[in-house]
Amino acid sequence: MHTISAHELPIVLQDGEFELRMREEGDMIVNFVKMPAGANFVEPFSHLEGGRCQCPHYGYVLKGRIYTDSEAGRQTYNAGDVFYWAPGHVPGAIDDSEYVDFAPKTEFLELIDGVRKAMGG
């Protein structure tokens, strides 16, 4: 067993104040995410199936307020909340926010590959 520190993880995606740090752990991915207020993934996810992330995520909001939009509507998550995002969501930030999430490796790596391409990288 070991501890994972966000600051020790490599940045795998960055765009302005948005930052994704990631590490593979067995068949899961651990993510530390910083999103500035107003950030959303509508554009980078527009090429994905249904224009939404199809990867499930389990996580914890460390700071700020984030949300997901899905066919069921908008769900908001505050600092201190634990969340589950089912496939078919688009995340965003209401405030400057930070969260940690855990996702299945195969699905998440496919997602990141698609987002990198959409972001021009």
Side-chain angles (χ1 to χ4, degrees):
M1 292 195 241
H2 56 276
T3 300
I4 300 171
S5 171
H7 302 292
E8 295 173 359
L9 300 182
I11 297 171
V12 297
L13 279 178
Q14 189 165 28
D15 184 18
E17 295 178 48
F18 169 80
E19 180 180 284
L20 171 67
R21 293 174 177 264
M22 181 184 98
R23 178 164 150 180
E24 295 181 28
E25 285 290 325
D27 62 349
M28 298 294 289
I29 296 288
V30 177
N31 297 300
F32 285 91
V33 182
K34 289 183 181 180
M35 288 196 295
N40 71 63
F41 285 85
V42 171
E43 182 62 32
F45 286 8
S46 64
H47 69 287
L48 300 175
E49 179 184 334
R52 300 176 190 277
C53 177
Q54 300 302 319
C55 177
H57 302 258
Y58 299 85
Y60 180 79
V61 183
L62 301 165
K63 172 186 168 186
R65 288 184 301 154
I66 60 176
Y67 65 87
T68 54
D69 288 330
S70 69
E71 288 185 12
R74 179 167 285 192
Q75 177 70 46
T76 301
Y77 310 89
N78 300 301
D81 288 348
V82 172
F83 61 82
Y84 168 67
W85 297 343
H89 63 272
V90 178
I94 298 165
D95 303 323
D96 289 345
S97 301
E98 296 178 15
Y99 65 91
V100 60
D101 83 42
F102 306 88
K105 181 165 86 174
T106 301
E107 292 95 325
F108 192 81
L109 292 177
E110 289 173 6
L111 169 68
I112 289 302
D113 185 51
V115 170
R116 278 190 182 124
K117 289 175 185 173
M119 294 173 77

